[in-house]
Amino acid sequence: PVDANRGFFPQATKDVHAQPAWKFRDRMSYGASSYSHTALALATLENLIGTNVMDRALHLYFETWKFRHPHLSDFVDAVNRTTGRDWTWFFERTFHGSGDVDYAVEQAASTPTKPPKGLFEKDGKLSEGPPPELARARGYDSVVLVTRKGETAMPVEILLRFESGRTYRSVWDGEARWKRFRVTAGPKLVEALVDPDEKILLDSDRTNNGRRVAADPRAAARWTARSVFWMQNFL
């Protein structure tokens, strides 16, 4: 749905969706909200609750309101009844709000772990400097900073991928403006991703959803090859 409805993002903050058609700023905003935003919002909801649950909610909504005139609150009620949870907050932020959704990985760093400093007990006495078993510090200290750049908060998953093949996955409610993750004396961090499974299709900028500790030259090589190809065609 993202590629087909990308035109919504430039219009995302112009109007509140849940309002009469004649109250929208212009035709572009009305069209983007009515069609593209609906597709992205419902696809995001489906990713959060699961396809099978979404199908049951749509079936309940249809069976309850066929040949009648339902409102948005009636669809919300069908979702809540099907899931057994209150999803009113989701519709308040997407259909009754006009903020954009945008999460980003601002920092991803991994440095060798340094030996501890201070006074240590040795032979019943305090001496400066760690004992040999602590002086040979191993592993890496990694820091990842994830920020909420948009006005609308959504729960998002965070994925940290390490050199050893190990991964760490966490769910952040996304309410605060930022969240910092620290891993001490662990494997070296390779990259950090926010919303790695691309569940939040309302995210207006996916180019900032990941960051690698070390630059990957393959991306530059790929774009260079494309540029040369199109330049040759132009000439």
Side-chain angles (χ1 to χ4, degrees):
V2 175
D3 292 335
N5 297 284
R6 194 170 296 278
F8 162 72
F9 296 123
Q11 312 291 330
T13 59
K14 283 186 176 181
D15 282 295
V16 173
H17 187 152
Q19 64 177 346
W22 61 85
K23 289 189 176 182
F24 282 85
R25 180 186 299 189
D26 49 44
R27 294 176 61 186
M28 293 292 294
S29 177
Y30 169 74
S33 294
S34 299
Y35 298 98
S36 298
H37 178 250
T38 300
L40 294 172
L42 293 185
T44 298
L45 178 64
E46 180 180 347
N47 288 337
L48 294 176
I49 67 177
T51 300
N52 292 334
V53 178
M54 186 68 168
D55 288 345
R56 296 202 307 271
L58 290 171
H59 182 76
L60 174 63
Y61 177 65
F62 171 77
E63 290 295 334
T64 305
W65 292 100
K66 60 186 176 182
F67 308 121
R68 299 165 67 187
H69 298 280
H71 297 278
L72 176 59
S73 59
D74 300 315
F75 180 71
V76 177
D77 180 66
V79 173
N80 291 343
R81 289 168 58 188
T82 304
T83 60
R85 297 169 56 189
D86 187 3
W87 286 90
T88 304
W89 65 268
F90 178 85
F91 293 91
E92 287 291 334
R93 298 181 185 189
T94 54
F95 288 90
H96 291 279
S98 59
D100 62 327
V101 180
D102 186 18
Y103 286 93
V105 180
E106 292 277 346
Q107 178 188 5
S110 195
T111 56
T113 301
K114 296 181 180 180
K117 296 180 180 180
L119 298 176
F120 297 84
E121 184 178 355
K122 183 179 180 181
D123 299 330
K125 299 180 180 179
L126 290 178
S127 61
E128 189 172 355
E133 62 271 14
L134 295 179
R136 296 188 297 272
R138 298 179 180 179
Y140 291 83
D141 294 338
S142 302
V143 179
V144 172
L145 179 66
V146 182
T147 61
R148 176 169 62 86
K149 302 172 73 69
E151 291 302 316
T152 302
M154 289 276 175
V156 291
E157 293 183 354
I158 311 297
L159 176 67
L160 308 184
R161 185 172 290 119
F162 299 89
E163 262 188 357
S164 62
R166 293 176 58 188
T167 59
Y168 171 78
R169 188 180 289 259
S170 176
V171 178
W172 176 36
D173 62 14
E175 295 292 339
R177 277 295 180 178
W178 59 270
K179 184 175 180 64
R180 182 176 285 115
F181 297 84
R182 296 183 184 274
V183 178
T184 304
K188 187 176 182 180
L189 180 69
V190 175
E191 64 179 348
L193 301 169
V194 59
D195 190 26
D197 299 325
E198 300 187 2
K199 293 182 178 180
I200 312 299
L201 300 186
L202 289 167
D203 194 317
S204 60
D205 184 7
R206 299 208 64 87
T207 63
N208 57 18
N209 282 31
R211 184 176 291 271
R212 294 178 62 89
V213 173
D216 188 348
R218 292 176 298 177
R222 183 166 60 250
W223 281 105
T224 301
R226 288 183 180 179
S227 301
V228 171
F229 171 77
W230 287 110
M231 181 59 68
Q232 288 175 338
N233 279 269
F234 175 75
L235 295 176

